[in-house]
Amino acid sequence: MSDLLILVAHATKLALLALLAGIVWRGRARLCWSFAAYLPATLLGNVLVSLWPTTFYTSWFWVLKQATYDTLKVAIALELAWRVFSAFPGAARTAGRVILALLVLSTVALGFLTPGSSYNTVWDWQPRVATAALWLLTATALLVVWYQVPVHEWQRAIMLGLAPYLVVFVALLDLLKRRGWAFREPIEALGTIAFLCVVLFWNWAAWRGGAPGPAGPAAGA
Amino acid sequence: MLELALSTVGCVLLCYTLGRYNRAVTLQRWQFVLNAPEREAIESLRQRMQLDSALARQAFETASRAREGDRHPDALTILRVALSILEDAGADRLTRLRAMGVYSRMVQAIQPLPAPSAKPFRGAQLRAAASAAGLVHRFLVGAEERFRLWLLVLGLGVRIVLRGGRRSAEAAARAPHRRRPWGAFARGMDDFDALDSSHLTAFEALVASLSAVDRGDRLRLWEQIAGGSR
């Protein structure tokens, strides 16, 4: 691992710790438990790789770590959709259909059109997983606006942070595929910097004060 | 490359929609939906429409009298006042139609409306638009889609009437002695009243759909929306 990569990894660690403290302190964790689980998972991955690189800066660990992150990203998208639409049966029905269609489509793309997942074919399967997670978030966002469903600022911030990061991630994998393994280190550094930026954005969103809600209908009744 | 294109499109859509999203406005809309003033809202709208119509008609009749008395500059000035009243009323109707479109997506089921018809209208364009909408209405299945078609026709109708009113006022200014622009303006005002009547019917259907939700359910839903997500 290069010095730059280690430096960025340590900075990300600190930012992740601050973010974890922020979501617990501000009571944001209950708004998306999958995200609350995603943060310690990324922190653990970061700690293991940066403190014990000889054991964990390896291809098998990268695949394991990435599979965990991917599962949690899809879980975040599904949980956000569930939390946002659960109070609105009409919108929830449509959201359920759209999300099911996206899941079926992604499963077909991953199961039948993608070669087996391994470190050497990372650019074949990883972008598809990331794109599937991103489109789950996009479908939720579009339905939120279509049905005018209220979304908490923190849930909005999660989506607004995760989506651009996933695009950067897919773009970097595309770059890796074109340039080959010789460019792994700079591409990895760019990916880590992008993640640090997202974590800093989430920190800002987690620590700032919540928007006050208007008075309920009972007040005007 | 396909994944990169797809994810970029998805990200742009997400950032655009959520970037423009305003939680406070959304909560206010839900507060209105769950606490709709029902009868008061309908009555208030009916009064406003009657007032707009009375003001525009009074201005138009005064302008007509001035024209008959050969006071053409005065007639044109007052005709423009009538047009400005219609324009203000039209802007109000268009704003409400947009809001009704938003609210129609927030209710679970909407009260059905009859198919749009050309019968109440006098203008050729408006009659053609209403007839076409009546045809499209038959191919739509859901009450929500049909309701939105109504809103679309009403919005289009208001724009057609206002454009016709502007043209008539310009034609009257060019040739003050001709009767035709004045007749066209009068027909436009009749059409505006007919549109208002349909507007009120659509509003009543929406308010009835909003009030169909049980009061206790409304309060629970509001608690869930505003209380639970705060």
Side-chain angles (χ1 to χ4, degrees):
Chain A
M1 280 180 91
S2 67
D3 289 344
L4 173 70
L5 207 55
I6 291 174
L7 187 71
V8 178
H10 288 327
T12 308
K13 235 189 299 298
L14 290 175
L16 279 168
L17 282 169
L19 179 55
L20 270 167
I23 65 166
V24 172
W25 184 259
R26 292 277 185 185
R28 313 284 202 215
R30 68 186 171 84
L31 295 172
C32 185
W33 288 112
S34 309
F35 187 77
Y38 174 70
L39 294 182
T42 51
L43 182 62
L44 182 67
N46 179 312
V47 167
L48 293 176
V49 170
S50 57
L51 296 185
W52 296 281
T54 46
T55 314
F56 294 106
Y57 191 55
T58 54
S59 57
W60 71 266
F61 185 73
W62 192 88
V63 172
L64 176 73
K65 183 178 75 155
Q66 211 53 42
T68 312
Y69 295 170
D70 290 342
T71 311
L72 287 168
K73 278 176 207 159
V74 172
I76 290 169
L78 293 177
E79 188 188 339
L80 283 176
W82 172 70
R83 283 187 182 279
V84 166
F85 296 112
S86 60
F88 309 93
R93 258 196 309 278
T94 311
R97 282 190 207 122
V98 171
I99 285 168
L100 186 68
L102 281 173
L103 284 175
V104 169
L105 207 69
S106 339
T107 309
V108 169
L110 284 165
F112 299 102
L113 308 173
T114 312
S117 60
S118 77
Y119 191 65
N120 293 325
T121 58
V122 57
W123 42 67
D124 284 324
W125 54 276
Q126 263 302 307
R128 289 180 188 183
V129 179
T131 306
L134 176 54
W135 269 95
L136 287 174
L137 292 172
T138 305
T140 305
L142 291 174
L143 288 167
V144 158
V145 174
W146 177 252
Y147 284 107
Q148 293 292 315
V149 171
V151 179
H152 194 279
E153 287 297 334
W154 172 239
Q155 292 166 332
R156 181 169 164 254
I158 292 174
M159 293 196 259
L160 280 173
L162 201 52
Y165 171 69
L166 287 172
V167 175
V168 172
F169 184 65
V170 172
L172 291 176
L173 284 172
D174 192 59
L175 201 63
L176 185 68
K177 186 180 184 178
R178 285 160 191 272
R179 301 278 176 167
W181 289 107
F183 282 81
R184 196 188 74 172
E185 283 240 335
I187 286 172
E188 211 172 341
L190 281 174
T192 317
I193 290 169
F195 187 65
L196 173 62
C197 292
V198 175
V199 174
L200 290 175
F201 165 70
W202 281 330
N203 260 296
W204 168 77
W207 281 101
R208 73 184 175 146
Chain B
M1 198 63 194
L2 176 69
E3 291 85 2
L4 184 57
L6 279 174
S7 54
T8 306
V9 169
C11 180
V12 168
L13 277 173
L14 185 145
C15 291
Y16 180 75
T17 49
L18 284 187
R20 287 165 57 92
Y21 176 85
N22 187 330
R23 183 170 183 259
V25 171
T26 308
L27 283 174
Q28 276 167 12
R29 282 177 177 155
W30 276 100
Q31 191 176 10
F32 172 81
V33 167
L34 299 172
N35 194 27
E38 299 159 15
R39 282 179 196 282
E40 293 91 334
I42 294 169
E43 199 45 48
S44 154
L45 180 60
R46 195 192 308 276
Q47 281 171 4
R48 171 153 197 175
M49 284 175 165
Q50 282 168 351
L51 182 68
D52 286 340
S53 174
L55 283 173
R57 283 196 182 277
Q58 194 181 11
F60 181 71
E61 280 160 17
T62 310
S64 297
R65 278 199 297 276
R67 189 180 68 91
E68 282 158 12
D70 278 341
R71 288 181 287 118
H72 293 295
D74 291 348
L76 285 173
T77 307
I78 305 167
L79 183 69
R80 286 196 189 104
V81 172
L83 177 64
S84 74
I85 293 168
L86 279 186
E87 280 179 332
D88 287 347
D92 168 74
R93 307 301 184 266
L94 292 175
T95 306
R96 188 173 303 96
L97 287 170
R98 272 196 294 277
M100 282 160 73
V102 171
Y103 293 134
S104 71
R105 291 194 290 269
M106 296 161 86
V107 293
Q108 282 185 43
I110 206 141
Q111 184 174 299
L113 286 170
S117 158
K119 211 180 267 181
F121 305 115
R122 297 178 67 188
Q125 276 184 310
L126 197 50
R127 287 177 68 84
S131 300
L135 199 68
V136 175
H137 180 91
R138 296 175 187 213
F139 293 99
L140 297 177
V141 180
E144 278 178 49
E145 285 78 17
R146 287 177 165 180
F147 183 80
R148 270 178 230 130
L149 177 70
W150 257 81
L151 300 186
L152 196 74
V153 174
L154 292 177
L156 189 68
V158 168
R159 287 186 185 93
I160 289 172
V161 168
L162 290 181
R163 198 178 54 196
R166 281 183 214 113
R167 279 185 185 164
S168 300
E170 281 165 19
R174 276 197 304 272
H177 297 283
R178 285 184 66 198
R179 281 178 171 272
R180 185 180 269 189
W182 290 80
F185 197 95
R187 281 195 297 279
M189 289 209 327
D190 290 344
D191 281 346
F192 199 87
D193 284 348
L195 284 169
D196 267 358
S197 170
S198 301
H199 189 109
L200 197 62
T201 306
F203 188 74
E204 279 171 343
L206 180 66
V207 170
S209 309
L210 297 176
S211 59
V213 183
D214 175 61
R215 180 92 195 142
D217 287 350
R218 288 196 218 178
L219 286 172
R220 274 192 292 281
L221 180 57
W222 177 257
E223 274 307 304
Q224 212 168 336
I225 294 168
S229 64
R230 219 172 274 161

